[in-house]
Amino acid sequence: AVRNFQLGRTTRLMDLVYGTDATASKSKKGRTRTATGKKSLFDDEDEDEDEDFDEPTGSSDDDNDDDLFFKVQHGVSESGINDMDTSKFSYESTVRELVDAAEDSYEDFMEKLKNRFVTGTWEEDEDAAALLGNNRA
Amino acid sequence: MVKRVELVFEGANYMRQRLVLSMLSGKSIRIEKIRYRDADPGVQDFEASFLRLLDKLSNGTAIEINESGTVLTFTPGAITGGDIEHDCNVARSIGYYLEPIVPILVFAKKFTSLTLRGVTNNEEDPSVDLLRTVTLQTLKDWGIDEAITFKIVRRGAPPLGGGEVSVVIPNIRELKPIRRLDEGKIKKVRGIAYATRVSPHTGNRMVDGARGVINPYLPDVYIYTDHYRGADSGKSPGYSISLVAESTTGALYGVEVCGNSKTVPEKIGEMAAEHLLQEIARGGVYDTQNQAMAVILMAMSTADVSKIVLGPLSPYW
């Protein structure tokens, strides 16, 4: 995959993401340091051009540890996650119906509020009720 | 080479949540058509700052943004945590950055000590006060009760910010399932009214306004005033009041209202109290701000079924 971070807005955004010198410190092979992940981002050494970009880059010392950690952290193997069926996403439409449900009337609201305090007595306070009413109008 | 499957989304909505869930699940995502019809299209600076924070929290994360900024490809790496400092973009508050990454830090490889600088309180994002008094307290429900610390080093009001917070969140291997079905009744209200680079009386005026609304319903109300001056006061003047109601079963409801030049401090206090009453009336064991985090943590807990009661679902953006 060719990554081109060299023009206009993207350069500025990637500077924000990866630091002010990320796009200025391209390797001799013309690739930005961002292409190979974090380890190569902040090291000055040139990276091997044939390195697999699609794999997260761990340090050489704890690669095995990272794999184990991934399994512990996510509960499944990485290949298992990649096999997940993600074609049935209906999150937004389902939740939107609940979020857009009609609000309570003022009377219902005050009734709910009355039952939420530990105080045994309830004294009507006209000023507070007016404030709430104005806010919800 | 393992072939990666990308989830493809459109638009800038839910961007933080999509990125966080990508990191937690280990799946790559591609977000297209980000503000593609706007006059200022693409990923905004504050979102790029959030991406940078995610990169700092992980090892191996790859982020690509196309030339127009309207397409973002995010391949998550391993969550490492550790000692991290980050200068947040002042367009959004520190809460914008910290709130969504809390579930990530719980699953980090190392104990995370995070220092964030920027705006501590603004009108649209969760304030650092609510993060400290509500959001981080709710983590205890999942068994994360050791060594959570949160310190507001300096306040920073918009537009220039200058605030700083220091937060330590421990990592754990697994979250225990929870069962919280009783929201209880409100037994006390606590609050903080802070002011920086304005009159010291501003805080007391906000407290007066808030107490005038809440006290008829509940006698146990204490709101503290916190006035900052000098080096601790950030770069811009500002004031706000945050209120937290606690129920007999430990449910916490938090609200905050920030001051502005068009509203007197007393009115700010009244507005905060009204919002708190609305939160209380909505019910549930978690307030509207923390519904999303609670659901994510439920999904990430161990295989046993968790059950919680929520009030009407709130929109998340």
Side-chain angles (χ1 to χ4, degrees), chain A residues 95 98-99, chain B residues 282 287-292 311-317:
Chain A
V95 174
L98 297 170
V99 173
Chain B
R282 291 171 74 93
D287 62 7
T288 54
Q289 179 190 314
N290 292 297
Q291 285 178 347
L313 294 181
S314 58
Y316 183 94
W317 55 85

Side-chain angles (χ1 to χ4, degrees), chain A residues 21-74:
Chain A
D21 60 343
T23 52
S25 55
K26 289 183 289 187
S27 72
K28 292 174 183 176
K29 295 168 184 173
R31 180 187 300 153
T32 62
R33 292 191 299 175
T34 55
T36 52
K38 190 169 184 177
K39 284 297 177 186
S40 59
L41 284 179
F42 303 110
D43 293 342
D44 290 333
E45 298 172 5
D46 286 345
E47 297 295 323
D48 181 4
E49 192 169 3
D50 295 330
E51 188 172 346
D52 180 9
F53 290 171
D54 293 326
E55 286 293 321
T57 312
S59 65
S60 57
D61 293 334
D62 58 1
D63 270 351
N64 293 333
D65 190 27
D66 278 349
D67 291 342
L68 176 63
F69 180 69
F70 190 91
K71 288 174 185 172
V72 172
Q73 179 176 296
H74 301 293

Side-chain angles (χ1 to χ4, degrees), chain A residues 5 10 13-14 17, chain B residues 43 51 63-67 69 71-72:
Chain A
F5 299 142
T10 301
L13 287 170
M14 294 310 292
V17 172
Chain B
V43 175
L51 287 166
I63 301 163
E64 289 179 55
I65 303 171
N66 75 339
E67 292 178 7
V71 178
L72 164 68

Side-chain angles (χ1 to χ4, degrees), chain B residues 198-211:
Chain B
V198 295
S199 165
H201 299 296
T202 307
N204 293 330
R205 292 171 64 186
M206 285 189 287
V207 172
D208 289 343
R211 292 187 73 98

Side-chain angles (χ1 to χ4, degrees), chain B residues 9-35:
Chain B
F9 300 99
E10 289 186 2
N13 52 346
Y14 312 116
M15 181 180 286
R16 289 179 301 160
Q17 206 169 29
R18 286 167 174 166
L19 293 169
V20 166
L21 292 174
S22 168
M23 291 203 77
L24 289 171
S25 66
K27 287 192 68 68
S28 301
I29 61 170
R30 179 180 174 88
I31 305 176
E32 300 174 342
K33 298 182 180 179
I34 300 172
R35 301 188 184 88

Side-chain angles (χ1 to χ4, degrees), chain A residues 78-112:
Chain A
E78 195 166 0
S79 59
I81 284 182
N82 287 325
D83 292 339
M84 283 169 57
D85 178 13
T86 55
S87 61
K88 298 175 182 176
F89 261 82
S90 59
Y91 167 82
E92 292 188 20
S93 59
T94 307
V95 174
R96 195 171 300 282
E97 290 174 9
L98 297 170
V99 173
D100 292 344
E103 283 195 11
D104 294 330
S105 66
Y106 177 68
E107 289 74 20
D108 291 340
F109 170 78
M110 292 304 290
E111 193 60 36
K112 280 185 182 176

Side-chain angles (χ1 to χ4, degrees), chain B residues 146-157:
Chain B
E146 57 162 309
I148 294 180
T149 61
F150 191 105
K151 185 181 179 186
I152 301 170
V153 181
R154 282 193 303 274
R155 293 278 179 176

Side-chain angles (χ1 to χ4, degrees), chain B residues 121 129 155 191-196 198-214 221 223-227 238-243 256-260 263-274:
Chain B
N121 303 67
D129 298 292
R155 293 278 179 176
I192 301 169
Y194 99 90
T196 62
V198 295
S199 165
H201 299 296
T202 307
N204 293 330
R205 292 171 64 186
M206 285 189 287
V207 172
D208 289 343
R211 292 187 73 98
V213 176
I214 300 176
V221 178
I223 305 171
Y224 305 92
T225 56
D226 204 0
H227 184 252
Y239 57 91
S240 78
I241 180 170
S242 60
L243 301 173
E256 187 189 56
V257 177
C258 284
N260 55 55
T263 314
V264 295
E266 289 84 355
K267 184 64 180 172
I268 297 295
E270 290 174 5
M271 290 166 61
E274 293 159 18

